[in-house]
Amino acid sequence: MQPRAPEPAGTGEAAATPGARYRRRLLFLLASATFFEGYDTFVLSFVLALVLVDLGGTEAEAGWIRGFVGLGAVAAFVLSAQADRIGRRRLLLLTIAGYTVSAGLTALAPNLAWLALAQFAAQVFLGAEWAVALTIVVEDFPRAERGRALGIVTAMNTLGGIAVGLLAFLGLQSTPLSWRGFYVVALVPLVLIAIGRRTLRETERYEAVRADPASERLDHTSLWEPWRPAYRATVLAVGLLTFFRHAAVAAAAFWWAYYAQQEVGMSVSLSGLYLAAAGVLGAAGFVVAGRLMDRIGRRPAFVGYMVGTLVFGTWLFQISSAALMLPVLCAAIFFGLGSVAMTSAFSTEPYPTYVRSRAAAWCRNAFEVPGGIVGPLAVGLLGDHVSGPVGHIGDAVSLTVLALIPPTILLCLRHVPETAGSDLVRLDRRAAEEAAG
Amino acid sequence: MRRALALGLLALALLALALLPACAGADRPEGVVERWLASLNQGAAGRPERAAPDEVSEAVLPGWRSLDPGELDVIEVGRGRLLSADAAEVPFRVAHRDGAELVRTAVVRRRADGWRIERLAPARADLRVPSEGGPPIAAAGVPWWLGALAAAVAFGVGAEALMALVRRAA
């Protein structure tokens, strides 16, 4: 069965997008916000050993903290769904402010319980910030530029992670602030709030829908609205696709350093250098993905990226030569992480404005985030060197990629609509007409 | 609808079949040696005394209690050899940040609470770590690779069945 494109291209949207100068400023603001989402995700794992020494704690307690903090990203669902009710602008500024306060509280943590609570809150705000940032890109950029903008905004997430490694390389942890210095850096988004309050406008699509009397019949608040019969199949297809993709990619991203150091015998410093170099080169994957999405469509670009993920993701964890590792790592990051630009489009573009943020929240927080927990966990259980039935982390990751990526391709080909030419104005008009009966 | 349900059940059965081997546990002394070295590399917070006597830890990382975490740049453990049901030899290699290397064999013994490192012995030519041509601690056999392919089919069929159910209900 060929999925139906939600709406043919039209002319209504062209006039409804803001000017190029504003879009450039908007892109800077959103890219900065997603940069810190990536930054914070990497910081905790990077400084955990120092935190345990400073605040006192065991590896087991560290494991519980990681699990608890990870639940924050799931809890972000409720907050990110509010963008359809209170507006994109207000929620974005709220999440940036909330994250900055949480980072400040983390830097002040006197014990592990405080740190865990502050980081849980940080994940709630970051999770919502990510979803609303993507929604704003989709609504404020014209069709022809949407893919490129999504590529840039999602690429900043990876660069945020690389910044952590760079700061560690520069010796931030050796300053008197020690690990707390990393969270002091995370206060920088305060500047974004100052800029955003002055320059950030509500998206024109959101304002138009809220001002339209016909939209009063639409449900702007229920968390279950994306599961209406009209959207249900798309939400489920995109949700399952993001779950499978992220479970495989997160497993590979989480375990690569361990595999390189413990099973290949690479030094910590060399593996860190490889990761930073491959991360920078691999970040091009996001930008190329964005351009491909605009040129050949979301679905062909995604299938191509998933084939690349399958090949290089499986191969990467079978390599025992340090020399071969770097190019294959670059390719795996290029395809594996770069594909998030397409899933961002899948989880936002097929839906009308009044429900878009909630649909994105379902895909992100109810499917993708749990996938990011299940994938690494499954590999850990299978590959554990003491008790795992496979007993080899590299093999366990390869098996996971092999099992999860083919269903992702199948779901995309059969059930995910192509949205490259979708006109948001027409989508909104049709939703209002359907609500009016 | 019935066809979709049958497909879903078949997918679950295939998945359960693929995951059956995962229920079998293992108890590898190599993993215990690796955890001991990793905990030693955390300094006092790592509590390596849980796995090995202090004098053995001192032989690998002198003054470990007062060192910062991350003194060891490389920790590598290879496949060991069982001497009996309760004793084994495990090869390992560590490299300090200054480049100094130590290659040894850990002699481990099983006790009521699990494997424990008893002492260190010189490196042996027939027990090597992977970077020196030795085998990894463990590896997935052919059934595991076939199982992964079966799981891919099962996930695909399961997703198809779920989508068919949802589309019919809508």
Side-chain angles (χ1 to χ4, degrees), chain A residues 96-167:
Chain A
I96 295 174
Y99 166 65
T100 315
V101 171
S102 306
L105 288 173
T106 308
L108 295 172
N111 54 50
L112 285 179
W114 177 306
L115 180 127
L117 280 172
Q119 276 298 290
F120 176 87
Q123 285 301 313
V124 170
F125 289 114
L126 286 171
E129 185 183 282
W130 173 264
V132 76
L134 298 181
T135 306
I136 291 174
V137 169
V138 167
E139 290 178 359
D140 263 357
F141 281 78
R143 269 168 294 165
E145 294 176 23
R146 223 178 269 155
R148 188 180 64 87
L150 281 173
I152 291 171
V153 168
T154 52
M156 294 307 284
N157 186 266
T158 299
L159 293 179
I162 293 167
V164 177
L166 195 64
L167 288 173

Side-chain angles (χ1 to χ4, degrees), chain A residues 208-258:
Chain A
V209 168
R210 294 302 281 203
D212 183 359
S215 85
E216 280 173 16
R217 288 193 182 86
L218 298 168
D219 187 338
H220 292 267
T221 55
S222 170
L223 292 178
W224 295 101
E225 187 64 7
W227 291 96
R228 280 187 57 192
Y231 316 124
R232 193 183 295 160
T234 306
V235 170
L236 183 65
V238 175
L240 289 172
L241 175 145
T242 51
F243 175 86
F244 287 136
R245 186 203 77 90
H246 197 53
V249 171
F254 184 83
W255 286 108
W256 179 80
Y258 182 94

